[in-house]
């Protein structure tokens, strides 16, 4: 796509939204809006007639909704799709990502109105990454998630239920910690990875996934239903427990400290001027300070270099550092930055990572010396 304007198709059942989103996109001289569709059926015709490079997609539409559109699109002509969705449709967003959508943007309110323009900067930033992503990996990831679900369709996954966040039984302190940093393409990658890991691992898992604040709790709830681990949006002062996955709240940083009775989770506000929240760097730095060789830092798909500085410190303190292979990641920037820094122990595809994580967890278990005869 280099050398020509990015050709965009806007899909939304609201004429106002179509007009507003198209106007925002065309503020970028490198983007040309070549079509507008009011539902999935119309959008599919335009995909084959107009050959867009990228699509913005509403999910709730008449005739053919966004989910049905994504299924057909990914089967017939895979393209990068950015979902534009309201906060009330949080669980729907993650279904769309499972089906192969690249990323999402949250509409500012429930009703159509001028506030829609507040997403302009975020929307244009996400479009700029399209030239550097791997659409093939988006499709492969969607297919792998479908295989993990078996015969169950995406829409059969239970909807978000706030009642799931009841206090869980105590599992005991972890022998080690896995920290994960991820950005664009991260939610489906995390789902695939966590569903492939055995819940018997004697480790806690902490995740810094770049995501809007009001979506992280729904993301954690969805993973909690799908994976064997207990997955929760982290809250301040939680005791760190083995077999639990802690997702950083979207508007805060996730750290840990020693605590009076054992390691505990700390949820901190972002530092002044911080542009990346949650920060993989801060997560890695605080966990490696406490756990040293019993810490594994993992950097997954994403733009930029978040996680690199934290991985450098973790490596100096004896931690294991893993990175998703940039050649197979949806977005190579974050893992490539850590690899270029020379601190990564193993570069592996998403499918290969569970074996390396199992090996790390086994190394955290205390060795039992044989009895002398």
């Amino acid at each position: 796509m280099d050398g020509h304007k990015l050709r965009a198709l806007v899909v939304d059942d609201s004429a106002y939204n179509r007009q507003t989103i198209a106007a925002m996109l065309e503020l970028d001289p490198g983007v040309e809006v070549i079509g507008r569709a009011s539902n999935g059926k119309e959008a599919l015709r335009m995909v084959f007639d107009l050959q867009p490079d990228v699509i913005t997609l509403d999910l709730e539409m008449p005739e053919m909704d966004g989910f049905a559109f994504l299924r057909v699109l990914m089967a017939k002509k895979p393209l990068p799709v950015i979902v534009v969705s309201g906060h009330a449709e949080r669980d729907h967003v993650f279904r769309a990502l499972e089906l192969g959508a690249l990323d999402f943007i949250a509409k500012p309110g429930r009703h159509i109105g001028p506030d829609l323009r507040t997403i302009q900067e975020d929307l244009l930033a996400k479009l700029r990454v399209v030239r550097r992503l791997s659409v093939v990996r988006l499709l492969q990831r969607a297919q792998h998630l479908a295989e993990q679900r078996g015969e169950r369709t995406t829409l059969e996954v239970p909807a978000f239920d706030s009642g799931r966040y009841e206090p869980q039984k105590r599992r005991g302190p972890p022998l080690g910690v896995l920290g994960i940093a991820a950005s664009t393409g991260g939610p489906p990658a995390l789902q695939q990875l966590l569903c492939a890991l055995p819940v018997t691992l004697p480790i806690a898992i902490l995740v810094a996934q770049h995501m809007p604040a009001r979506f992280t709790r729904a993301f954690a709830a969805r993973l909690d239903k799908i994976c064997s681990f207990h997955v929760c949006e982290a809250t301040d002062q939680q005791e760190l427990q083995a077999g639990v996955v802690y997702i950083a709240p979207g508007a805060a940083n996730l750290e840990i400290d020693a605590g009076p009775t054992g390691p505990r989770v700390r949820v901190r506000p972002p530092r002044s001027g911080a542009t990346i929240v949650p920060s993989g760097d801060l997560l890695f730095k605080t966990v490696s300070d406490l756990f040293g060789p019993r810490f594994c830092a993992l950097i997954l798909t994403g733009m930029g270099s978040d996680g690199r500085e934290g991985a450098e410190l973790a490596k100096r303190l004896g931690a294991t550092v893993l990175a998703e292979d940039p050649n197979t990641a949806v977005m190579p920037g974050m893992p490539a930055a850590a690899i270029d820094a020379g601190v990564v122990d193993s570069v592996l595809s998403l499918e290969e990572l569970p074996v390396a994580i199992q090996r790390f967890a086994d190394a955290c278990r205390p060795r039992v010396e044989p009895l002398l005869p």
Side-chain angles (χ1 to χ4, degrees):
M1 286 182 281
D2 288 340
H4 74 264
K5 286 189 175 184
L6 203 65
R7 295 161 56 83
L9 172 63
V10 176
V11 186
D12 198 299
D13 65 338
S14 160
Y16 178 87
N17 284 356
R18 291 195 300 274
Q19 172 62 32
T20 303
I21 292 171
M24 287 189 289
L25 295 179
E26 290 185 329
L27 290 173
D28 187 327
V31 177
E32 176 187 8
V33 176
I34 50 93
R36 305 174 193 181
S38 60
N39 59 61
K41 191 176 293 185
E42 185 181 5
L44 282 175
R45 289 197 297 268
M46 290 187 176
V47 164
F48 291 98
D49 290 345
L50 303 178
Q51 303 292 315
D53 300 316
V54 64
I55 299 168
T56 68
L57 179 67
D58 186 23
L59 295 175
E60 299 294 326
M61 299 181 293
E63 292 194 62
M64 178 184 282
D65 64 17
F67 304 115
F69 170 78
L70 276 168
R71 287 192 186 94
V72 177
L73 180 75
M74 290 300 165
K76 302 290 186 182
K77 189 178 177 61
L79 289 170
V81 174
I82 298 172
V83 171
V84 183
S85 174
H87 292 118
E89 301 162 351
R90 287 171 294 184
D91 197 60
H92 291 182
V93 163
F94 301 113
R95 297 177 188 173
L97 295 179
E98 288 178 20
L99 290 170
L102 166 66
D103 209 338
F104 71 92
I105 293 173
K107 291 177 184 175
R110 299 185 60 170
H111 303 292
I112 297 166
D115 285 350
L116 186 62
R117 285 193 172 272
T118 61
I119 69 172
Q120 177 179 309
E121 184 177 344
D122 195 17
L123 180 59
L124 292 177
K126 291 186 188 300
L127 251 70
R128 294 184 192 109
V129 312
V130 166
R131 296 181 186 272
R132 287 166 279 183
L133 69 88
S134 169
V135 179
V136 172
R137 281 301 297 168
L138 280 172
L139 177 59
Q140 290 175 344
R141 193 153 292 172
Q143 291 170 337
H144 193 102
L145 289 172
E147 291 170 3
Q148 278 187 332
R149 291 192 301 271
E151 296 301 317
R152 186 180 65 190
T153 66
T154 300
L155 294 182
E156 288 173 321
V157 176
F160 171 58
D161 175 10
S162 61
R164 288 283 293 176
Y165 283 81
E166 298 294 333
Q168 300 291 313
K169 66 179 181 180
R170 183 172 178 82
R171 293 166 169 81
L175 300 181
V177 172
L178 170 65
I180 304 175
S183 187
T184 305
L190 283 163
Q191 179 177 322
Q192 180 178 331
L193 178 66
L194 293 175
C195 288
L197 291 173
V199 73
T200 53
L201 294 179
I203 61 174
I205 301 175
L206 292 88
V207 178
Q209 163 67 54
H210 304 163
M211 186 180 291
R214 282 182 278 185
F215 285 80
T216 44
R217 189 168 184 228
F219 179 50
R222 188 169 182 80
L223 291 176
D224 191 45
K225 292 177 173 68
I226 296 171
C227 303
S228 299
F229 293 94
H230 171 52
V231 185
C232 64
E233 183 187 57
T235 58
D236 196 40
Q237 305 286 353
Q238 280 178 295
E239 290 189 11
L240 206 61
Q241 296 184 33
V244 179
V245 180
Y246 303 86
I247 306 291
N253 287 316
L254 182 59
E255 305 176 15
I256 66 168
D257 65 24
T261 60
R264 61 181 178 176
V265 173
R266 302 310 310 268
V267 175
R268 311 278 197 183
R271 297 177 182 180
S272 177
T275 57
I276 298 175
V277 182
S279 167
D281 284 325
L282 285 176
L283 172 63
F284 290 175
K285 288 174 181 176
T286 62
V287 181
S288 58
D289 277 343
L290 200 58
F291 279 82
R294 294 186 295 125
F295 174 52
C296 177
L298 169 57
I299 303 172
L300 296 178
T301 171
M303 282 294 295
S305 60
D306 187 33
R308 182 192 62 202
E309 291 183 7
E312 289 175 335
L313 175 61
K315 185 64 178 175
R316 289 198 295 270
L317 295 175
T320 299
V321 180
L322 305 176
E324 183 178 4
D325 188 342
N327 294 315
T328 62
V330 169
M331 294 302 304
M334 283 171 50
I339 294 166
D340 290 344
V343 297
V344 175
D345 295 295
S346 297
V347 179
L348 301 165
S349 69
L350 198 62
E351 293 75 18
E352 295 170 322
L353 281 168
V355 174
I357 294 169
Q358 176 80 65
R359 190 179 302 120
F360 159 75
D362 288 342
C364 292
R365 299 180 192 273
R367 293 185 180 182
V368 178
E369 297 294 336
L371 296 174
L372 296 176

